[in-house]
Amino acid sequence: MNIVGQLPPGLTGLEQLQKLIEMGGRPPIGETMDITLVDAGDGYAVFEGMPSLRVYNPIGMVHGGFAATLLDSACGCAVHSKLSPTQAYTTLELKTAYHKAITGDTGLMRAEGRVLSIGRRVAFTEATLKDAAGKLYASATSTLLVMER
């Protein structure tokens, strides 16, 4: 059973995220792409990831999907932190801007997502992806559908 299946029922979205962090912060995609949920609060979430050769594209850089995954995860979990135990969400749109190339030498990457607004059915978020020195590598905005389970 994966870590997500080990979460107790009846928790709010923020409680689920905090429990996930206590359990190591690795949803199943985290194992695949070496990314970890490291912080979450009311309307925000932070993921960190270490780029390596296993996420390189054919032209010798980290694939844009690595950055997009970190940004999408931060945006989505920022919304997740605002949900009741009976709600769920899914990404409707993710717009990613790549500001600088990422390589294995870039080091630890940090994606910070924030809810801009959330309604009964739709949420809007933004996220940034920076290195340890605070240099911006990518950014994203996202629209997410909020629904009852």
Side-chain angles (χ1 to χ4, degrees):
M1 180 185 295
N2 67 50
I3 195 168
V4 175
Q6 296 175 26
L7 296 175
L11 299 178
T12 67
L14 181 56
E15 290 168 339
Q16 289 173 8
L17 294 175
Q18 290 169 339
K19 185 61 115 174
L20 183 60
I21 292 167
E22 287 174 22
M23 298 168 73
R26 286 249 171 142
I29 189 75
E31 296 300 324
T32 302
M33 298 192 74
D34 196 14
I35 64 173
T36 305
L37 175 65
V38 296
D39 194 13
D42 185 24
Y44 76 91
V46 180
F47 277 81
E48 291 181 343
M50 184 65 74
S52 67
L53 287 177
R54 71 180 179 184
V55 293
Y56 265 51
N57 62 27
I59 63 171
M61 287 180 240
V62 171
H63 191 282
F66 176 78
T69 299
L70 278 162
L71 292 164
D72 185 44
S73 297
C75 285
C77 285
V79 169
H80 194 99
S81 75
K82 304 286 282 178
L83 301 182
S84 75
T86 63
Q87 292 178 304
Y89 73 93
T90 190
T91 302
L92 291 173
E93 175 186 54
L94 179 72
K95 181 181 185 314
T96 304
Y98 300 95
H99 303 272
K100 188 168 174 49
I102 301 170
T103 69
D105 295 330
T106 302
L108 188 67
M109 305 297 300
R110 183 177 175 91
E112 298 184 10
R114 292 161 294 290
V115 172
L116 298 173
S117 68
I118 186 168
R120 202 171 57 80
R121 296 286 313 223
V122 178
F124 299 92
T125 61
E126 65 181 7
T128 57
L129 182 64
K130 298 178 181 179
D131 68 8
K135 188 180 299 179
L136 182 66
Y137 281 78
S139 59
T141 57
S142 183
T143 306
L144 301 101
L145 176 67
V146 177
M147 60 199 143
E148 291 296 317
R149 292 185 196 264

